[in-house]
């Protein structure tokens, strides 16, 4: 079988053949202008990452979180899984971060691959327990991917640091290593007869690794610009809201009705692929503005744009409520 196209090429391939999702030039320009005005703020740097990940202490922690970083949306908006940590109540992705922080405080060695590679489903259920009747979705799958990931780390030096160091300091090689060795990170599909990849969690793992290293002053990782945005269900909603993406009425209706899209469904692949491509174009446009107006080289990469758009979507969720997010239960995002 031919190897899959990488995420950037996949995004372009999908966007050029898409039937239900379209990248809008005008919106791309608008978002680039918006980001241009933020170019001197922390929002577009790795410290913007730190803001979005206040509970991130160490590299193995990042690996545990990113390995289970998928599918937090509730079946019913009113039934959200909740985890309280140090007096703050968390929902969504942050329930996972809070649950892991809580476990560490309770003395559970949840970030030690020797432990999490062989923990039982009951033990993980206890770690991820919710404060209310709504459990975190997909416990069985989270258990499967975490124990698998732990076993891979043990085969490669016993820590995420030793595992990832095999890729040198190269973001692209890191992504390739992760998807080659850890099956659950292989976020691929077939679109118009071609194997494509979106690699949301593999890329976010590399970007989080960079974020932690950057915070330590050791973030000299090359090829960060190779990474794309991390195609999930939250950022596409922000891109539609900002006018950089447009859905057809038919797709809008299906999503408004709450239709569940299966992983690999053409529409689901279009939403994710076009999101990747629109952010690539936003980045290009932004760099052009920086060059034209400031006469400088632009250092913003797509990961940093994603680190801005994701919290933006969370912050403006009320204004965006009329734009439906797509729902797909899977381990990829």
């Amino acid at each position: 079988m031919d190897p899959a196209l990488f995420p950037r090429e996949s995004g372009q391939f999908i966007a050029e053949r898409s039937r239900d999702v379209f990248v809008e030039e005008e919106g791309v320009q608008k978002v680039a202008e918006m980001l241009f005005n933020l170019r001197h703020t922390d929002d577009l740097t790795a410290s913007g990452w730190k803001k979005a990940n206040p509970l991130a202490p160490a590299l193995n922690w990042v690996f545990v979180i990113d390995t289970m970083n998928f599918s937090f949306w509730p079946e019913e908006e009113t039934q959200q899984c909740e985890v309280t940590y140090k007096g703050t109540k968390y929902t969504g992705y942050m329930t996972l971060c809070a649950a892991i922080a809580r476990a560490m405080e309770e003395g559970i060695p949840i970030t030690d691959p020797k432990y999490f590679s062989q923990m039982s489903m009951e033990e993980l259920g206890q770690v991820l327990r919710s404060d209310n009747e709504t459990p975190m979705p997909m416990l069985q799958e989270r258990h499967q991917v975490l124990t698998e990931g732990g076993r891979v780390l043990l085969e490669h030096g016993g820590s995420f640091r030793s595992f990832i160091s095999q890729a040198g300091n190269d973001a692209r090689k890191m992504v390739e290593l992760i998807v080659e060795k850890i099956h659950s990170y292989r976020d691929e599909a077939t679109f118009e007869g071609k194997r494509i990849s979106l690699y949301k969690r593999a890329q976010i793992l590399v970007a989080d690794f960079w974020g932690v290293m950057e915070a330590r002053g050791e973030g000299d990782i090359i090829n960060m610009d190779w990474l794309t945005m991390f195609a999930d269900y939250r950022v596409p909603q922000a891109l539609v809201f900002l006018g950089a993406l447009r859905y057809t009425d038919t797709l809008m209706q299906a999503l408004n009705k709450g239709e569940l899209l299966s992983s690999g469904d053409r529409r689901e692949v279009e939403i994710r692929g076009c999101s990747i491509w629109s952010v690539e174009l936003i980045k290009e446009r932004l760099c052009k503005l920086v060059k034209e107006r400031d006469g400088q080289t632009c250092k913003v990469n797509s990961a940093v744009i994603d680190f801005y758009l994701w919290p933006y979507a969370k912050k403006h969720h009320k204004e965006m409520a009329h734009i439906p997010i797509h729902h797909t239960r899977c381990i990829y995002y």
Side-chain angles (χ1 to χ4, degrees), residues 146-328:
L146 185 61
T147 50
E148 175 214 17
R151 288 192 296 271
V152 173
L153 295 191
L154 291 180
E155 287 160 17
H156 296 271
S159 72
F160 178 57
R161 185 77 194 257
S162 60
F163 167 72
I164 206 70
S165 65
Q166 299 170 82
N169 264 4
D170 185 326
R172 173 182 173 162
K173 287 189 175 137
M174 288 178 191
V175 171
E176 291 179 309
L177 175 73
I178 293 163
V179 299
E180 182 202 339
K181 301 286 185 201
I182 312 175
H183 204 265
S184 74
Y185 278 88
R186 222 168 284 164
D187 177 7
E188 298 173 359
T190 302
F191 187 83
E192 300 255 323
K194 217 172 190 46
R195 284 303 286 165
I196 57 99
S197 71
L198 303 143
Y199 296 154
K200 183 249 177 176
R201 289 196 295 111
Q203 296 199 91
I204 224 170
L205 180 52
V206 171
D208 283 351
F209 174 68
W210 173 66
V212 171
M213 299 311 277
E214 192 78 11
R216 293 179 184 177
E218 307 172 40
D220 51 348
I221 292 168
I222 62 163
N223 263 336
M224 278 301 289
D225 207 39
W226 182 84
L227 299 182
T228 66
M229 61 77 80
F230 319 122
D232 65 353
Y233 46 86
R234 186 64 69 196
V235 177
Q237 183 195 29
L239 292 167
V240 173
F241 177 72
L242 292 165
L245 279 189
R246 176 173 60 81
Y247 294 169
T248 58
D249 293 346
T250 334
L251 177 58
M252 270 298 201
Q253 279 159 9
L255 298 181
N256 275 321
K257 280 201 312 240
E259 188 184 329
L260 208 58
L261 305 185
S262 58
S263 181
D265 178 294
R266 183 184 176 103
R267 295 162 299 173
E268 185 250 2
V269 173
E270 286 189 7
I271 290 170
R272 299 181 73 206
C274 291
S275 296
I276 286 177
W277 190 239
S278 76
V279 172
E280 289 306 300
L281 296 178
I282 288 165
K283 177 180 70 178
E284 257 172 43
R285 202 62 47 83
L286 171 64
C287 289
K288 206 171 153 211
L289 291 176
V290 170
K291 203 175 168 59
E292 284 168 2
R293 296 180 190 173
D294 293 347
Q296 285 175 345
T297 323
C298 174
K299 288 189 175 62
V300 172
N301 58 50
S302 298
V304 164
I305 294 177
D306 188 290
F307 288 155
Y308 174 75
L309 289 174
W310 194 83
Y312 178 92
K314 293 287 272 187
K315 197 167 123 194
H316 297 274
H317 72 101
K318 284 196 173 72
E319 297 105 290
M320 288 188 202
H322 63 289
I323 298 160
I325 64 170
H326 73 280
H327 288 125
T328 301

Side-chain angles (χ1 to χ4, degrees), residues 17-70:
R17 291 160 184 80
S18 188
R19 296 180 204 153
D20 277 297
V21 185
F22 303 99
V23 178
E24 299 284 88
E25 273 306 305
E26 219 171 292
V28 163
Q29 184 66 31
K30 187 180 113 182
V31 178
E33 293 277 358
M34 177 176 100
L35 297 174
F36 178 76
N37 293 329
L38 294 167
R39 69 196 181 287
H40 299 310
T41 65
D42 268 358
D43 287 324
L44 293 184
T45 62
S47 44
W49 175 87
K50 202 73 194 135
K51 236 189 289 183
N53 293 270
L55 302 175
L59 292 176
N60 278 357
W61 186 93
V62 160
F63 179 79
V64 168
I65 293 287
D66 286 340
T67 300
M68 294 191 284
N69 178 0
F70 53 83

